[in-house]
Amino acid sequence: MFKDALWLALKEFQFNKLQLGASILATILFAGISSLSLEQSIMNVLDIERMNDRFFLSDFMFIVFTPVLATIFMSGPYLNYKTIKEDPFSKRMAVYRSLPIPIKVLALSRTILMLMTLLLLSIVFYTTITFLLPNRIFEYLTISEYLVFIVIWLGYALSLGGAHTYLEYGTNGKVLHLFPYILIFLLVFVFYLFYSFVEKGIVEYTILLSINIGWPIAFLFLIIGMVGCVLWHTLLTKRLSTKDYL
């Protein structure tokens, strides 16, 4: 089953290579923006004398954008308003369902595709950020603490990455198109409440966790990420077995 699912995922990966390339370029752009805000967040935590209230952008980029790294987000369906009516992902799954391919293989192939995309785009994202961060940052933050910080956010992205796969193939075009806007609205509201009660941003707290706790918290987030991935995969498998694609 795994071999068939991997083959199908690799074919899908190859089919979307142009969109994947565009996603890589966009990821580099967003990583450049994130590196500036992350630098400020690190300095806010480790150099109190230079503290500056610029953590909103950092929080927004990491909380909203890192889960998006689990998708080929520069593909047509994500950018096209016609997605609401045409529902291209459901049409694609309808074709797969008409073939003699077991549902478990289809669901596993979608999960593998998500993991491959997340791994590739995350490497691009964090490599770009690391390259752009000034060397003086690592006078305040050790390499180990920085790696812990990255793993924390990888775990977070992994826990939510499967949600995109479920939205693509388990819902419809209207939900897929409107969900990001609803999510951004809710997150802005959450940010407002969070900042009303605390002095530091969410990214700044993860930096503190990296420094004060270290690898145990990184492994905890990885476990949370794996549990989330399994749950989304299970939900998708059940949904594919009940959804009518006709």
Side-chain angles (χ1 to χ4, degrees):
M1 182 177 70
F2 177 80
K3 183 178 180 180
D4 293 335
L6 179 61
W7 179 86
L8 190 58
L10 289 173
K11 285 295 182 181
E12 190 90 17
F13 214 62
Q14 185 178 12
F15 177 77
N16 289 290
K17 59 184 178 182
L18 292 179
Q19 295 90 334
L20 181 61
S23 294
I24 290 174
L25 293 177
T27 298
I28 293 173
L29 173 62
F30 287 121
I33 299 172
S34 300
S35 67
L36 297 175
S37 59
L38 178 59
E39 176 188 353
Q40 184 61 58
S41 293
I42 293 173
M43 299 309 296
N44 283 353
V45 172
L46 300 176
D47 191 353
I48 304 299
E49 295 180 358
R50 300 182 57 183
M51 188 167 182
N52 193 324
D53 286 339
R54 289 179 55 190
F55 49 69
F56 174 79
L57 178 59
S58 186
D59 285 354
F60 186 85
M61 292 302 299
F62 277 84
I63 291 175
V64 174
F65 185 69
T66 53
V68 176
L69 297 175
T71 67
I72 304 176
F73 57 89
M74 293 299 289
S75 64
Y78 279 96
L79 302 176
N80 198 336
Y81 180 77
K82 293 180 180 179
T83 298
I84 293 179
K85 292 184 177 180
E86 295 180 356
D87 198 5
F89 287 110
S90 291
K91 289 182 179 178
R92 188 181 305 170
M93 183 54 65
V95 173
Y96 285 139
R97 288 295 307 276
S98 67
L99 301 174
I101 304 176
I103 289 177
K104 290 185 177 181
V105 172
L106 287 175
L108 183 58
S109 71
R110 301 305 91 186
T111 300
I112 292 174
L113 179 63
M114 180 273 293
L115 292 173
M116 290 168 57
T117 305
L118 177 61
L119 177 61
L120 175 60
L121 294 183
S122 292
I123 289 174
V124 172
F125 183 70
Y126 291 108
T127 299
T128 303
I129 288 178
T130 303
F131 179 78
L132 294 177
L133 280 175
N135 291 332
R136 63 186 176 84
I137 288 296
F138 296 102
E139 297 176 3
Y140 296 87
L141 196 68
T142 68
I143 299 298
S144 178
E145 291 166 347
Y146 179 66
L147 290 175
V148 169
F149 170 81
I150 291 176
V151 172
I152 287 174
W153 285 101
L154 281 174
Y156 164 76
L158 179 60
S159 67
L160 295 183
H164 295 285
T165 303
Y166 181 81
L167 289 169
E168 289 172 357
Y169 297 101
T171 59
N172 55 52
K174 182 182 294 185
V175 174
L176 177 64
H177 189 77
L178 295 179
F179 179 78
Y181 301 103
I182 296 173
L183 179 62
I184 290 174
F185 175 79
L186 291 175
L187 286 174
V188 169
F189 180 69
V190 170
F191 289 160
Y192 174 77
L193 291 179
F194 187 84
Y195 298 153
S196 298
F197 294 99
V198 300
E199 296 180 354
K200 296 186 182 299
I202 298 170
V203 168
E204 293 176 357
Y205 269 107
T206 59
I207 295 171
L208 285 172
L209 289 175
S210 304
I211 295 171
N212 296 330
I213 300 179
W215 285 104
I217 195 67
F219 292 136
L220 175 61
F221 269 83
L222 273 183
I223 292 172
I224 293 173
M226 289 185 286
V227 170
C229 182
V230 171
L231 288 176
W232 286 116
H233 171 74
T234 301
L235 289 173
L236 179 62
T237 303
K238 292 181 178 179
R239 181 58 175 161
L240 291 181
S241 65
T242 58
K243 185 179 179 181
D244 184 7
Y245 290 93
L246 299 178

